[in-house]
Amino acid sequence: MKTDSPTADTGQACAATRRGRPRSEAAEQAIFTAVEDLMAGGTTMSELTIEGIATAAGVGKATIYRRWPNKEALLVDVVSRLEVPMPEPTGEGARADLIEMVDYMRRRGLAKRSRWVLKAAFGQMHSLPELHNAYRERVVKPRREAGLALIRRAVDEGVLRADLDPDLLGDLLMGPILYRSILWDDSDLEDPDLARAMVDSVLQGLAPR
Amino acid sequence: MKTDSPTADTGQACAATRRGRPRSEAAEQAIFTAVEDLMAGGTTMSELTIEGIATAAGVGKATIYRRWPNKEALLVDVVSRLEVPMPEPTGEGARADLIEMVDYMRRRGLAKRSRWVLKAAFGQMHSLPELHNAYRERVVKPRREAGLALIRRAVDEGVLRADLDPDLLGDLLMGPILYRSILWDDSDLEDPDLARAMVDSVLQGLAPR
Amino acid sequence: MKTDSPTADTGQACAATRRGRPRSEAAEQAIFTAVEDLMAGGTTMSELTIEGIATAAGVGKATIYRRWPNKEALLVDVVSRLEVPMPEPTGEGARADLIEMVDYMRRRGLAKRSRWVLKAAFGQMHSLPELHNAYRERVVKPRREAGLALIRRAVDEGVLRADLDPDLLGDLLMGPILYRSILWDDSDLEDPDLARAMVDSVLQGLAPR
Amino acid sequence: MKTDSPTADTGQACAATRRGRPRSEAAEQAIFTAVEDLMAGGTTMSELTIEGIATAAGVGKATIYRRWPNKEALLVDVVSRLEVPMPEPTGEGARADLIEMVDYMRRRGLAKRSRWVLKAAFGQMHSLPELHNAYRERVVKPRREAGLALIRRAVDEGVLRADLDPDLLGDLLMGPILYRSILWDDSDLEDPDLARAMVDSVLQGLAPR
DNA sequence: CGATAACCGAGACGGTACGTCGAGTCTTGGC
DNA sequence: GCCAAGACTCGACGTACCGTCTCGGTTATCG
């Protein structure tokens, strides 16, 4: 996934030379690392304070507020950093690719840091609509589009029915795993065969033949 | 859903009659109304403070804390109150019941107050683990169990395959609609035929015959 | 000197009964004590922070801000508390009373706490004109009027010339000692005979006979 | 008063010629002008920040810190610059010189900028001990010594008694006018005859003949 | 009927974190 | 090496809520 730097929204790439001391890359890194460490250490969302982050990062509070207007904005960037690229098509056919995609979601939901982010940060989004949109634009949408590309290929290969809306197909395939990732426990994602079972089940249909 | 009164945790079922002035039913109503009004008025979750609720309800803070140990507990009750009862089986067979159940989820996701709850309150849950657990226990679980009962009946009627885990069947049927409810726009839920399309699609299977 | 409580300016003596928990007298005392202790401990004015006072007093910052709008207002009250009543007339005649008054000023300028207050707090006043006025009204003016009464009595007794403005007489008698108190070192005030020398010198005149 | 350049404390009198670009005289002027403008514009002492000065002067903060080690040092120089030279002896005798000196103090207390300095800056001195000491050393002391010289001459001329401590004589003559300058309103200084009245009163004595 | 006990609104209490501001230092590119 | 600009760490500011604790006063039941 391609993500802009946190200052992307200020569009500072002006023709005139930038003046003054440039922002410290090290400080930025320290902030990200501090947040991820705190998260990994079991800190819940409401315990995650800017003051705590600043202290853990060895950074002044102003250095954080210079980059992000509030806690949520910082988290969106943390989230973006943690998202890993989706798997490339395996070349073994569309069904295998669909399973791989679903299994990627399952593994991502299991990964400790990623799961914390997926749950906690995502949860805050409805309080800050513009951040919700930013997250959807930068994280959800690219993935959804990759999924749709995959689905269209599967339709071409005859693995998926052509008479259904691709959006619907996507939700039917991805919804269950994401639902489990967000709402339920990790234990519900541990079965390594889960992705195959899900994909095959919806492919074949839940009704008896 | 049937929910205990907020005083449930104080173990009021003592043999001896309670002495002193009883708690004011009016105050309780005022609190609930205030929270719902604030929510409807666009107050985001993080702006929803106990002090604000007390002021809006014309109630002392202690009157709130006398009933709920903390903000999370109050929110669980508010959320529970907003949940509407699930539809009774229609008697037209398991397939119709499944569609009805999915469509109920769709409509619930569209309802203004319910949506606020589903999104905002649910979103905060991972920040507030107790709220998350309480919500799962009191809201999600009963519904899930109703769903599982429905699914078992559908298996008995031969509408669903008997060789799949009922939990998996449930997630495959409910996951897509909940995924859309939580993550996407309301517009994705507007199609009145959506529930039927989803259920029939997964019943028949996404693979061409 | 008669001093109102710090909340005097809110005029809370309303007919309607005051509601809510009353302000803690103990907290107020703790705040005053903390400031005086810090001052006595050599803390300079710019090192004297509200946070430090709150910590030293074992009190929340809000408890201070509830009583005084800012640091300077708090100091005016601290100053008022520290001011001690002026000496009563000795009954030995106007000249002795004048010397006693000047010597009182000298001793006051020597007293550790009082001096700190006289210097540091007084120094801040020109930044906050209304506080300057309050201080003048509540501390300086009563003293000045006591001095003028004394002077008028001295005129009646024939100790002071009747052809001079009483204000001028007051400043000529009190100015030198206050000038030394404010601007110079403590060492300039140590001579126990200083007051007598000053009064007698200006009474007799500085010109040779 | 003659004041060293602000760089005095950096010991610039090195034998080897200074290398690199010399300090900008214009920047220095801009800084002084900015401070005086801000003062004249009603800025109180505690609102007078280095950042504000730098911005108003169109100068970098480092340019200020390169010249003065801290805010207090800058203020000492600003204060020194504002002090105007004392009057030369008039040649009309010691009494006239004493009156002229006291009247100079009176006029200085009335002058707008000088008064700002005398009151506001002086007021802060006890908060900022270094500033206090520097001010005493560079402003008060020379003036006091000039006053003492004058007094010694007056003693020689037989205008002042020889049996009194010159320091005491100085404080008795200057104290009243300085006391009025610092503590009271400008209106108390407006009488153009005030200096003469004060000097003559203390010369003749306050006791009736 | 009076005492007792738990309730009520109001608001102060000690804390914690907020987001801002300024101090004094450091680091850019440019003169 | 100086300059303007603006980043840096640090620490205090004054505000807002948290959850608790008095206040004076109001219903209830119990004795």
Side-chain angles (χ1 to χ4, degrees):
Chain A
M1 185 185 48
K2 195 164 149 298
T3 297
D4 291 335
S5 98
T7 51
D9 50 349
T10 66
Q12 87 288 34
C14 49
T17 318
R18 295 278 286 108
R19 299 214 293 175
R21 178 175 173 176
R23 300 250 171 106
S24 158
E25 185 63 38
E28 206 147 304
Q29 210 57 46
I31 293 165
F32 280 129
T33 305
V35 177
E36 295 172 16
D37 287 354
L38 288 170
M39 282 170 8
T43 309
T44 67
M45 194 67 181
S46 45
E47 292 164 9
L48 189 63
T49 68
I50 293 281
E51 298 210 325
I53 295 169
T55 300
V59 142
K61 276 200 291 180
T63 300
I64 296 180
Y65 283 111
R66 209 172 282 123
R67 289 167 166 75
W68 300 276
N70 50 50
K71 188 156 65 175
E72 287 74 22
L74 166 58
L75 282 180
V76 174
D77 273 337
V78 172
V79 168
S80 302
R81 273 170 48 90
L82 288 178
E83 295 286 346
V84 288
M86 278 177 295
E88 294 299 312
T90 60
E92 300 173 28
R95 176 179 160 278
D97 285 346
L98 287 172
I99 292 174
E100 178 58 28
M101 173 82 96
V102 171
D103 200 53
Y104 157 72
M105 299 289 189
R106 182 186 69 89
R107 292 192 314 266
R108 195 176 67 106
L110 271 178
K112 187 158 192 180
R113 277 181 169 177
S114 186
R115 190 180 66 242
W116 191 97
V117 160
L118 184 65
K119 290 191 173 179
F122 163 79
Q124 294 284 21
M125 302 222 152
H126 300 97
S127 324
L128 285 301
E130 70 279 17
L131 290 173
H132 189 192
N133 293 336
Y135 181 75
R136 284 220 309 233
E137 209 63 30
R138 285 171 49 187
V139 179
V140 180
K141 206 169 174 184
R143 191 146 57 216
R144 186 174 178 89
E145 274 164 13
L148 284 177
L150 194 52
I151 280 160
R152 270 188 286 269
R153 198 152 61 79
V155 171
D156 291 345
E157 289 189 21
V159 172
L160 286 174
R161 288 161 57 183
D163 61 329
L164 291 177
D165 177 17
D167 279 339
L168 183 62
L169 285 170
D171 289 348
L172 293 174
L173 284 159
M174 302 299 169
I177 193 72
L178 286 169
Y179 171 57
R180 282 205 178 184
S181 301
I182 292 168
L183 204 58
W184 294 96
D185 283 335
D186 317 329
S187 57
D188 297 301
L189 297 174
E190 277 169 0
D191 180 5
D193 191 45
L194 181 64
R196 194 209 51 75
M198 280 185 163
V199 170
D200 280 344
S201 298
V202 293
L203 283 181
Q204 292 175 237
L206 305 187
R209 302 265 154 166
Chain B
M1 187 187 50
K2 199 161 147 300
T3 297
D4 290 336
S5 99
T7 51
D9 51 350
T10 66
Q12 87 290 24
C14 50
T17 320
R18 301 274 276 101
R19 301 216 309 159
R21 176 175 174 177
R23 296 208 180 145
S24 157
E25 184 65 34
E28 206 148 301
Q29 268 310 318
I31 293 165
F32 280 128
T33 306
V35 177
E36 295 173 16
D37 287 354
L38 288 170
M39 283 170 9
T43 307
T44 65
M45 201 64 181
S46 44
E47 292 164 11
L48 193 61
T49 68
I50 293 280
E51 297 212 324
I53 295 168
T55 301
V59 140
K61 279 203 292 178
T63 301
I64 297 179
Y65 283 109
R66 209 171 283 122
R67 289 166 166 74
W68 298 276
N70 49 49
K71 188 155 66 171
E72 313 186 11
L74 167 57
L75 287 179
V76 175
D77 271 341
V78 171
V79 166
S80 302
R81 270 172 50 95
L82 289 177
E83 293 288 344
V84 288
M86 278 178 298
E88 296 297 313
T90 59
E92 300 173 28
R95 175 179 160 275
D97 286 346
L98 286 173
I99 292 175
E100 178 57 27
M101 173 82 96
V102 171
D103 201 52
Y104 157 71
M105 298 287 189
R106 181 186 71 88
R107 293 193 311 268
R108 196 176 66 107
L110 275 176
K112 184 163 188 178
R113 295 217 301 213
S114 187
R115 192 179 63 239
W116 190 95
V117 164
L118 187 64
K119 289 194 172 179
F122 166 79
Q124 291 284 22
M125 283 178 186
H126 302 96
S127 334
L128 313 175
E130 298 175 37
L131 177 55
H132 190 193
N133 293 334
Y135 183 76
R136 278 215 316 229
E137 208 63 29
R138 288 176 47 187
V139 179
V140 179
K141 206 168 172 185
R143 190 143 58 216
R144 186 173 180 88
E145 273 162 15
L148 284 178
L150 193 51
I151 280 161
R152 269 187 289 268
R153 197 154 60 80
V155 171
D156 291 345
E157 289 189 20
V159 172
L160 287 174
R161 288 159 59 182
D163 62 331
L164 290 177
D165 178 16
D167 279 339
L168 182 61
L169 285 169
D171 288 348
L172 293 175
L173 283 160
M174 302 300 170
I177 194 72
L178 285 170
Y179 171 58
R180 282 206 178 184
S181 302
I182 292 168
L183 206 57
W184 294 96
D185 283 337
D186 315 329
S187 58
D188 296 303
L189 299 173
E190 279 170 358
D191 178 5
D193 191 45
L194 181 64
R196 194 211 49 75
M198 280 185 163
V199 171
D200 280 344
S201 297
V202 292
L203 283 181
Q204 293 176 236
L206 305 187
R209 300 270 156 166
Chain C
M1 187 187 45
K2 198 164 149 296
T3 297
D4 292 334
S5 97
T7 50
D9 51 347
T10 65
Q12 88 288 34
C14 49
T17 318
R18 295 279 286 108
R19 300 215 290 178
R21 177 174 174 177
R23 301 248 172 109
S24 158
E25 185 64 37
E28 206 148 303
Q29 210 56 47
I31 293 166
F32 280 129
T33 305
V35 177
E36 295 172 16
D37 286 355
L38 289 169
M39 282 170 9
T43 309
T44 67
M45 194 68 181
S46 45
E47 291 164 11
L48 189 64
T49 67
I50 294 280
E51 297 209 326
I53 295 169
T55 302
V59 141
K61 276 200 290 179
T63 300
I64 296 181
Y65 284 111
R66 211 172 280 123
R67 288 168 167 74
W68 299 277
N70 50 51
K71 189 157 61 176
E72 286 74 23
L74 167 57
L75 283 180
V76 174
D77 273 338
V78 172
V79 167
S80 303
R81 273 170 49 90
L82 288 178
E83 294 288 345
V84 288
M86 278 176 297
E88 295 299 311
T90 59
E92 302 173 27
R95 175 178 160 276
D97 286 346
L98 287 173
I99 293 174
E100 177 58 29
M101 172 82 96
V102 171
D103 200 54
Y104 157 71
M105 298 289 188
R106 181 186 70 88
R107 294 192 313 267
R108 197 177 67 105
L110 271 178
K112 188 158 190 182
R113 278 181 169 176
S114 186
R115 191 179 66 243
W116 191 96
V117 160
L118 185 65
K119 290 191 174 179
F122 164 79
Q124 294 284 21
M125 302 224 152
H126 300 97
S127 324
L128 285 301
E130 71 278 15
L131 290 173
H132 189 193
N133 293 336
Y135 181 76
R136 283 216 314 230
E137 209 63 29
R138 285 171 49 187
V139 179
V140 180
K141 206 169 174 184
R143 191 146 55 217
R144 186 174 180 88
E145 275 164 11
L148 285 178
L150 195 50
I151 280 160
R152 270 187 288 267
R153 197 153 61 80
V155 171
D156 292 344
E157 290 188 19
V159 172
L160 286 175
R161 288 160 58 184
D163 61 329
L164 291 177
D165 177 15
D167 280 339
L168 181 62
L169 284 170
D171 289 349
L172 293 176
L173 283 160
M174 302 298 168
I177 194 73
L178 286 168
Y179 171 57
R180 282 206 179 183
S181 300
I182 293 168
L183 204 58
W184 294 96
D185 283 336
D186 318 329
S187 56
D188 297 302
L189 298 174
E190 280 170 359
D191 180 4
D193 191 46
L194 181 63
R196 193 209 51 76
M198 281 186 162
V199 171
D200 280 344
S201 298
V202 292
L203 282 181
Q204 293 176 235
L206 306 186
R209 302 265 153 164
Chain D
M1 187 185 52
K2 199 160 149 300
T3 298
D4 291 337
S5 100
T7 51
D9 52 349
T10 66
Q12 87 290 27
C14 51
T17 320
R18 302 274 273 101
R19 302 213 307 159
R21 175 174 174 179
R23 294 205 181 151
S24 156
E25 183 64 35
E28 209 148 299
Q29 267 309 319
I31 293 165
F32 280 127
T33 305
V35 177
E36 295 173 15
D37 287 354
L38 288 170
M39 283 172 6
T43 308
T44 65
M45 200 66 181
S46 45
E47 291 164 11
L48 192 61
T49 67
I50 292 281
E51 297 209 325
I53 295 168
T55 301
V59 140
K61 278 203 291 179
T63 300
I64 296 181
Y65 282 108
R66 209 172 283 121
R67 288 167 167 73
W68 298 277
N70 49 48
K71 187 155 67 171
E72 313 186 13
L74 167 57
L75 287 179
V76 175
D77 271 341
V78 171
V79 166
S80 302
R81 271 172 50 94
L82 289 178
E83 293 288 344
V84 287
M86 278 178 297
E88 295 298 314
T90 59
E92 302 174 25
R95 176 179 160 275
D97 286 348
L98 287 172
I99 292 174
E100 178 57 28
M101 173 81 98
V102 171
D103 200 53
Y104 157 71
M105 297 290 188
R106 183 186 70 88
R107 294 193 312 268
R108 196 175 66 108
L110 275 176
K112 184 162 189 177
R113 293 215 303 213
S114 188
R115 193 178 63 238
W116 190 96
V117 163
L118 188 65
K119 288 195 172 178
F122 166 79
Q124 291 283 22
M125 282 177 186
H126 303 97
S127 334
L128 313 176
E130 299 175 37
L131 177 54
H132 190 193
N133 293 333
Y135 184 75
R136 279 218 313 230
E137 209 62 29
R138 288 176 48 187
V139 178
V140 179
K141 206 168 172 185
R143 192 144 55 215
R144 186 173 180 88
E145 274 161 13
L148 284 178
L150 193 50
I151 280 161
R152 269 187 288 268
R153 197 153 59 78
V155 171
D156 292 344
E157 290 187 19
V159 171
L160 285 175
R161 286 160 60 181
D163 62 329
L164 291 177
D165 177 16
D167 279 339
L168 181 62
L169 284 170
D171 288 348
L172 293 176
L173 284 160
M174 302 300 169
I177 193 73
L178 286 169
Y179 170 57
R180 281 205 179 184
S181 301
I182 292 167
L183 205 57
W184 294 96
D185 283 336
D186 315 328
S187 57
D188 296 303
L189 299 173
E190 279 169 0
D191 179 5
D193 191 45
L194 182 63
R196 194 209 50 76
M198 280 184 163
V199 171
D200 281 344
S201 299
V202 292
L203 282 181
Q204 294 175 235
L206 305 187
R209 300 268 156 167

